[in-house]
Amino acid sequence: MRMNNLIYVLLVSLFFVSCVDRDERGITYLQPEKTVVPLSVNHVRIAELLASRSVVVPAVGKIGFFVKGDSHYAEVNNRQGVFSADRQRWIPNDSIWLNNTAAQIGVYYPYDLFQDTSQKLILKAIKRPVDGSKDLWSNWFTADNVKMNIDLELKQLYTRLRLTFVLDTDALYTGDANMTRLYVTGADIYSGALYTPVNGAYGEYTGIGIFDPGIEQVKIVGTDATSLDAVCIDLLMIPTVALTEPVTIVATVDGKVMRVTIPKDKLGGTLAAGRLNNIVIKLRPTSLVFSDIEIEDWNVQTEFEAGGAEFTVI
């Protein structure tokens, strides 16, 4: 009887050992769900920029993949991905294999070879290029060898502060109106941060309290903020979920340092990612004054079509 029990225990132990395997890629899985499959994404949706719909978007784009490292998956950092015309899916250039355990995966667009920080994307507040080439979108999801039909909507990682400067008709400025410097200050203003693609977290903020985009000299002209001649400084900013104090714009005009404060309630108490904050500032003989603000969603959802044909509004 004791011998029979011993044999039974040995057989059960051998059964469980046989259910655990590790393939040549170093991926651990359990039978019978031992099949590993390559990661792919059905659709990747991003945002068209409201202010620059005429900008031609590349016919073929590239995305970047991150995978959180754990006991089941090796860490993956910034692996390039493209759209496969054959498979009609987005795939990494070097396959990422999924087993029966959920992997935590981040995707961003557009791919940047120099985003080489482990498990992070580097965010930098800058003066936004007209072509939107520094805009950044990302999102994360989980997948395994069963959950594979992924439709992913990427979200803007920056907030946008668009400052329009005009002359005040009630107190007309009579100098040259040459603005030679501009910077943004406040307890919740940052010049940089790190973003974790596999969970959507911001952190490790730098340049706390001030952001200087280093503008070139511009001349403030006209009184109409909608005019094509109006000076517009378009800034990509690090998002802030909850403002603790007002945001201050400091400008040097004709050698004079002027400040204008934007109350935090006028900003909705936040500088949220994916928002476009349109602010009109008027120049008076001795000061800058806050005139108007309009806040809107930066995004209109679009889809990078199969074959990468182009981005089209859906």
Side-chain angles (χ1 to χ4, degrees), residues 45-58:
R45 292 178 171 85
I46 70 162
E48 182 180 60
L49 304 177
L50 295 176
S52 55
R53 292 186 180 178
S54 61
V55 174
V56 176
V57 179

Side-chain angles (χ1 to χ4, degrees), residues 21-30 32-39 72-73 95-101 144-146 148:
D21 202 355
R22 181 181 293 270
D23 72 357
E24 68 277 5
R25 291 175 291 270
I27 300 175
T28 302
Y29 47 75
L30 300 177
E33 299 88 356
K34 66 178 290 184
T35 304
V36 291
V37 298
L39 168 66
H72 301 281
Y73 293 98
S95 293
I96 297 170
W97 296 91
L98 301 175
N99 56 46
N100 64 311
T101 304
D144 55 30
N145 61 2
V146 176
M148 297 179 292

Side-chain angles (χ1 to χ4, degrees), residues 168-190:
D168 192 338
T169 54
D170 294 330
L172 199 60
Y173 188 86
T174 57
D176 293 329
N178 290 322
M179 183 163 60
T180 54
R181 189 187 180 195
L182 176 141
Y183 59 94
V184 185
T185 67
D188 312 295
I189 300 301
Y190 312 101

Side-chain angles (χ1 to χ4, degrees), residues 92-220:
N93 281 358
D94 186 8
S95 293
I96 297 170
W97 296 91
L98 301 175
N99 56 46
N100 64 311
T101 304
Q104 204 161 311
I105 302 163
V107 168
Y108 80 99
Y109 172 87
Y111 175 78
D112 181 354
L113 174 65
F114 299 103
Q115 287 282 8
D116 56 1
T117 302
S118 177
Q119 295 290 281
K120 305 290 184 183
L121 289 174
I122 300 171
L123 304 184
K124 295 179 179 179
I126 59 169
K127 184 175 182 293
R128 182 177 179 270
V130 176
D131 63 2
S133 57
K134 296 299 182 180
D135 300 346
L136 205 56
W137 299 264
S138 183
N139 210 340
W140 67 279
F141 61 99
T142 60
D144 55 30
N145 61 2
V146 176
K147 181 185 175 184
M148 297 179 292
N149 294 320
I150 306 297
D151 288 332
L152 191 61
E153 179 183 308
L154 304 187
K155 301 176 180 179
Q156 296 277 3
L157 296 190
Y158 290 104
T159 191
R160 195 168 162 194
L161 204 63
R162 190 163 60 186
L163 308 174
T164 301
F165 292 84
V166 293
L167 302 176
D168 192 338
T169 54
D170 294 330
L172 199 60
Y173 188 86
T174 57
D176 293 329
N178 290 322
M179 183 163 60
T180 54
R181 189 187 180 195
L182 176 141
Y183 59 94
V184 185
T185 67
D188 312 295
I189 300 301
Y190 312 101
S191 61
L194 294 182
Y195 174 83
T196 306
V198 297
N199 64 17
Y202 292 81
E204 299 184 53
Y205 298 95
T206 58
I208 299 173
I210 187 169
F211 163 50
D212 186 344
I215 68 166
E216 296 180 356
Q217 178 175 308
V218 290
K219 183 179 180 65
I220 301 173

Side-chain angles (χ1 to χ4, degrees), residues 2 19 31 62 69 86 90 110 117 184 207 214 217 225 232 238 254 262 285 291-292 297:
R2 184 176 299 174
C19 290
Q31 296 177 354
K62 296 177 182 178
D86 293 336
W90 290 88
T117 302
V184 185
Q217 178 175 308
C232 180
I238 307 300
D254 292 340
I262 315 299
S291 174
D292 191 23
D297 287 338

Side-chain angles (χ1 to χ4, degrees), residues 5-16:
N5 287 340
L6 181 59
I7 292 172
Y8 175 78
V9 171
L10 287 172
L11 288 173
V12 171
S13 299
L14 286 171
F15 171 78
F16 279 105

